[in-house]
Amino acid sequence: MSLPEVEPPLPSTAIRIVILISGSGSNLQALIDAQTKGQINTDIVAVISNRPDVKGLQRATDAGIENHCLNHKHYADRRSFDQALHLKIQQYQPDLVVLAGFMRILTPELTRQYVGKMINIHPSLLPKYQGLNTHQRAIDDSQVQHGCSIHFVTEELDGGPVIAQSLVPVLKDDDAQSLAQRVQQQEHFLYPQCVQWFGERRISLKTGKIYLDEEILPKSGRQF
Ligand code: GRF
């Protein structure tokens, strides 16, 4: 499918970001910290969780960021949840929607509204290991290289164009937990880096290709 052209917002003020979470929110925290330190030109205007009482909501409150829980269990089906989510996001008129450990499959009706404006972090070197249990699957396959990816969200789960990846070696004694820990350290570097490219208006998606400055990125995105 060819994707429509999406131009980045005009370079004047900080870009408005809504962050979607489902849990601990360590990536959210990395973005809050980067914003606080002035490393990213962003205004995190809201955090939305689909699960109540998660640590990420507390992190948002502590940072003085508006936050909401839309409990998916209170909606009849995926579609009605996504409609409510879309309405909530739109209240904030974001330039970018950042999925940071948001563990819900989104409907095509929703993802189509955010082509080029919604990004996700996934704990594998996409297109390898879409879906869950990525660390264990990499170990089971005796991979020597693992990592994380930031990609644009499309209707294909974990399947949109990749903006950047961070490579993490798999060590001989790694189990899923130790590997996950090292991948997460890289996530906390990689997500702010990618978001800053948006903040600097250096990144865009045109007809399914990602441009960083004037350069078309390869399928694996920019690798670190
Ligand atoms: C991260 O490992 C991310 O790659 C995956 O979910 C996890 C979220 O962690 N999509 P956190 O909530 O940011 O701590």
Side-chain angles (χ1 to χ4, degrees):
M1 192 191 99
S2 71
L3 298 169
E5 296 203 354
V6 178
E7 291 298 335
L10 290 172
S12 52
T13 50
I15 55 164
R16 295 172 64 79
I17 298 190
V18 168
I19 301 183
L20 307 188
I21 60 164
S22 297
S24 133
S26 67
N27 281 286
L28 164 68
Q29 190 66 56
L31 291 165
I32 292 172
D33 292 346
Q35 178 175 288
T36 306
K37 289 181 196 152
Q39 293 166 343
I40 56 178
N41 185 24
T42 54
D43 182 7
I44 303 171
V45 287
V47 171
I48 304 170
S49 170
N50 68 309
R51 293 203 184 117
D53 305 323
V54 293
K55 190 169 172 188
L57 287 172
Q58 188 58 47
R59 292 181 196 268
T61 300
D62 292 346
I65 299 168
E66 284 188 34
N67 58 87
H68 307 272
C69 172
L70 288 189
N71 189 337
H72 62 274
K73 292 185 180 158
H74 296 168
Y75 294 84
D77 51 27
R78 202 171 282 285
R79 215 176 168 171
S80 50
F81 172 77
D82 276 10
Q83 279 167 354
L85 179 61
H86 181 49
L87 279 178
K88 184 56 82 187
I89 293 171
Q90 282 315 301
Q91 282 178 14
Y92 291 94
Q93 292 293 304
D95 300 303
L96 184 67
V97 179
V98 171
L99 275 50
F102 185 65
M103 305 302 280
R104 288 282 300 171
I105 295 174
L106 296 169
T107 57
E109 287 77 13
L110 186 103
T111 57
R112 272 184 220 132
Q113 313 275 344
Y114 295 97
V115 175
K117 294 179 72 175
M118 181 181 269
I119 59 175
N120 182 40
I121 186 158
H122 184 74
S124 78
L125 298 176
L126 292 171
K128 282 183 190 160
Y129 309 121
Q130 294 163 314
L132 299 174
N133 302 321
T134 58
H135 309 300
Q136 190 59 54
R137 286 157 67 201
I139 290 171
D140 291 347
D141 287 349
S142 307
Q143 297 283 350
V144 292
Q145 199 90 271
H146 186 49
C148 51
S149 306
I150 311 289
H151 66 94
F152 281 107
V153 173
T154 61
E155 37 193 280
E156 187 192 346
L157 181 67
D158 303 326
V162 174
I163 299 166
Q165 296 186 322
S166 188
L167 308 182
V168 175
V170 182
L171 306 179
K172 201 164 50 75
D173 296 331
D174 261 333
D175 57 20
Q177 207 185 350
S178 62
L179 184 55
Q181 220 167 33
R182 292 204 318 285
V183 170
Q184 273 231 327
Q185 282 172 5
Q186 289 308 305
E187 293 183 5
H188 299 160
F189 145 77
L190 193 65
Y191 227 172
Q193 170 64 77
C194 287
V195 166
Q196 176 54 358
W197 289 337
F198 283 90
E200 294 168 339
R201 282 78 175 176
R202 291 173 58 193
I203 200 147
S204 60
L205 179 66
K206 292 178 193 161
T207 57
K209 292 192 169 46
I210 300 173
Y211 288 74
L212 178 59
D213 301 322
E214 298 310 310
E215 187 194 338
I216 297 180
L217 291 181
K219 280 214 175 326
S220 55
R222 174 65 56 85
Q223 283 197 330
F224 292 91

